[in-house]
PDB file of all heavy atoms in Angstrom:
ATOM      1  N   GLY A  28      94.684 105.384 105.325  1.00 97.00           N
ATOM      2  CA  GLY A  28      95.852 106.200 105.719  1.00 97.00           C
ATOM      3  C   GLY A  28      95.525 107.772 105.475  1.00 97.00           C
ATOM      4  O   GLY A  28      94.423 108.098 105.028  1.00 97.00           O
ATOM      5  N   PHE A  29      96.535 108.543 105.744  1.00 96.00           N
ATOM      6  CA  PHE A  29      96.484 109.930 105.433  1.00 96.00           C
ATOM      7  C   PHE A  29      97.424 110.135 104.170  1.00 96.00           C
ATOM      8  O   PHE A  29      98.565 109.755 104.141  1.00 96.00           O
ATOM      9  CB  PHE A  29      97.114 110.761 106.533  1.00 96.00           C
ATOM     10  CG  PHE A  29      96.195 110.877 107.850  1.00 96.00           C
ATOM     11  CD1 PHE A  29      96.584 110.223 108.973  1.00 96.00           C
ATOM     12  CD2 PHE A  29      95.105 111.578 107.776  1.00 96.00           C
ATOM     13  CE1 PHE A  29      95.815 110.336 110.139  1.00 96.00           C
ATOM     14  CE2 PHE A  29      94.321 111.738 108.869  1.00 96.00           C
ATOM     15  CZ  PHE A  29      94.696 111.069 110.056  1.00 96.00           C
ATOM     16  N   GLY A  30      96.796 110.833 103.143  1.00 92.00           N
ATOM     17  CA  GLY A  30      97.546 111.193 101.923  1.00 92.00           C
ATOM     18  C   GLY A  30      97.043 112.446 101.361  1.00 92.00           C
ATOM     19  O   GLY A  30      95.927 112.727 101.433  1.00 92.00           O
ATOM     20  N   GLY A  32      97.043 115.407 102.633  1.00 91.00           N
ATOM     21  CA  GLY A  32      96.334 116.213 103.510  1.00 91.00           C
ATOM     22  C   GLY A  32      95.005 115.769 103.935  1.00 91.00           C
ATOM     23  O   GLY A  32      94.262 116.495 104.611  1.00 91.00           O
ATOM     24  N   SER A  33      94.567 114.545 103.559  1.00 95.00           N
ATOM     25  CA  SER A  33      93.259 114.037 103.963  1.00 95.00           C
ATOM     26  C   SER A  33      93.340 112.532 104.201  1.00 95.00           C
ATOM     27  O   SER A  33      94.200 111.845 103.840  1.00 95.00           O
ATOM     28  CB  SER A  33      92.201 114.498 102.953  1.00 95.00           C
ATOM     29  OG  SER A  33      92.450 113.764 101.638  1.00 95.00           O
ATOM     30  N   VAL A  34      92.207 112.064 104.841  1.00 97.00           N
ATOM     31  CA  VAL A  34      92.068 110.632 105.076  1.00 97.00           C
ATOM     32  C   VAL A  34      91.561 109.968 103.714  1.00 97.00           C
ATOM     33  O   VAL A  34      90.841 110.535 102.986  1.00 97.00           O
ATOM     34  CB  VAL A  34      91.045 110.381 106.187  1.00 97.00           C
ATOM     35  CG1 VAL A  34      90.813 108.933 106.346  1.00 97.00           C
ATOM     36  CG2 VAL A  34      91.514 110.995 107.436  1.00 97.00           C
ATOM     37  N   VAL A  35      92.268 108.804 103.368  1.00 96.00           N
ATOM     38  CA  VAL A  35      91.886 108.202 102.064  1.00 96.00           C
ATOM     39  C   VAL A  35      91.356 106.776 102.391  1.00 96.00           C
ATOM     40  O   VAL A  35      91.599 106.203 103.511  1.00 96.00           O
ATOM     41  CB  VAL A  35      93.114 108.114 101.189  1.00 96.00           C
ATOM     42  CG1 VAL A  35      93.580 109.449 100.839  1.00 96.00           C
ATOM     43  CG2 VAL A  35      94.252 107.317 101.820  1.00 96.00           C
ATOM     44  N   GLY A  36      90.564 106.216 101.399  1.00 96.00           N
ATOM     45  CA  GLY A  36      90.130 104.936 101.518  1.00 96.00           C
ATOM     46  C   GLY A  36      90.788 103.962 100.564  1.00 96.00           C
ATOM     47  O   GLY A  36      90.407 102.864 100.265  1.00 96.00           O
ATOM     48  N   ALA A  57      86.630 106.182 104.080  1.00 95.00           N
ATOM     49  CA  ALA A  57      88.025 106.491 104.251  1.00 95.00           C
ATOM     50  C   ALA A  57      88.373 106.480 105.693  1.00 95.00           C
ATOM     51  O   ALA A  57      87.610 106.811 106.612  1.00 95.00           O
ATOM     52  CB  ALA A  57      88.366 107.850 103.682  1.00 95.00           C
ATOM     53  N   SER A  58      89.587 105.937 105.938  1.00 96.00           N
ATOM     54  CA  SER A  58      89.922 105.699 107.410  1.00 96.00           C
ATOM     55  C   SER A  58      91.527 105.738 107.481  1.00 96.00           C
ATOM     56  O   SER A  58      92.165 105.290 106.606  1.00 96.00           O
ATOM     57  CB  SER A  58      89.385 104.476 107.975  1.00 96.00           C
ATOM     58  OG  SER A  58      89.606 104.301 109.313  1.00 96.00           O
ATOM     59  N   ALA A  59      92.001 106.183 108.615  1.00 96.00           N
ATOM     60  CA  ALA A  59      93.392 106.224 108.912  1.00 96.00           C
ATOM     61  C   ALA A  59      93.699 105.690 110.280  1.00 96.00           C
ATOM     62  O   ALA A  59      92.741 105.645 111.131  1.00 96.00           O
ATOM     63  CB  ALA A  59      94.044 107.620 108.715  1.00 96.00           C
ATOM     64  N   ARG A  76      90.122 106.172 112.150  1.00 91.00           N
ATOM     65  CA  ARG A  76      89.459 107.416 112.270  1.00 91.00           C
ATOM     66  C   ARG A  76      89.284 108.046 110.864  1.00 91.00           C
ATOM     67  O   ARG A  76      90.072 107.706 109.995  1.00 91.00           O
ATOM     68  CB  ARG A  76      90.239 108.382 113.203  1.00 91.00           C
ATOM     69  CG  ARG A  76      91.701 108.477 112.753  1.00 91.00           C
ATOM     70  CD  ARG A  76      92.460 109.332 113.795  1.00 91.00           C
ATOM     71  NE  ARG A  76      92.296 110.732 113.403  1.00 91.00           N
ATOM     72  CZ  ARG A  76      93.053 111.693 113.893  1.00 91.00           C
ATOM     73  NH1 ARG A  76      94.134 111.477 114.554  1.00 91.00           N
ATOM     74  NH2 ARG A  76      92.857 112.922 113.493  1.00 91.00           N
ATOM     75  N   ASN A  77      88.269 108.898 110.722  1.00 87.00           N
ATOM     76  CA  ASN A  77      87.956 109.318 109.469  1.00 87.00           C
ATOM     77  C   ASN A  77      88.218 110.855 109.280  1.00 87.00           C
ATOM     78  O   ASN A  77      87.648 111.401 108.376  1.00 87.00           O
ATOM     79  CB  ASN A  77      86.498 108.872 108.974  1.00 87.00           C
ATOM     80  CG  ASN A  77      85.484 109.473 109.871  1.00 87.00           C
ATOM     81  OD1 ASN A  77      85.750 110.263 110.732  1.00 87.00           O
ATOM     82  ND2 ASN A  77      84.269 109.115 109.559  1.00 87.00           N
ATOM     83  N   GLN A  78      88.908 111.414 110.198  1.00 80.00           N
ATOM     84  CA  GLN A  78      89.211 112.812 110.073  1.00 80.00           C
ATOM     85  C   GLN A  78      90.580 113.140 110.653  1.00 80.00           C
ATOM     86  O   GLN A  78      91.146 112.317 111.290  1.00 80.00           O
ATOM     87  CB  GLN A  78      88.147 113.664 110.717  1.00 80.00           C
ATOM     88  CG  GLN A  78      87.722 113.216 112.139  1.00 80.00           C
ATOM     89  CD  GLN A  78      86.777 114.193 112.594  1.00 80.00           C
ATOM     90  OE1 GLN A  78      86.830 115.413 112.559  1.00 80.00           O
ATOM     91  NE2 GLN A  78      85.710 113.638 113.193  1.00 80.00           N
TER      92      GLN A  78
END
Side-chain angles (χ1 to χ4, degrees):
F29 287 109
S33 64
V34 177
V35 298
S58 188
R76 51 187 280 200
N77 61 4
Q78 46 180 314

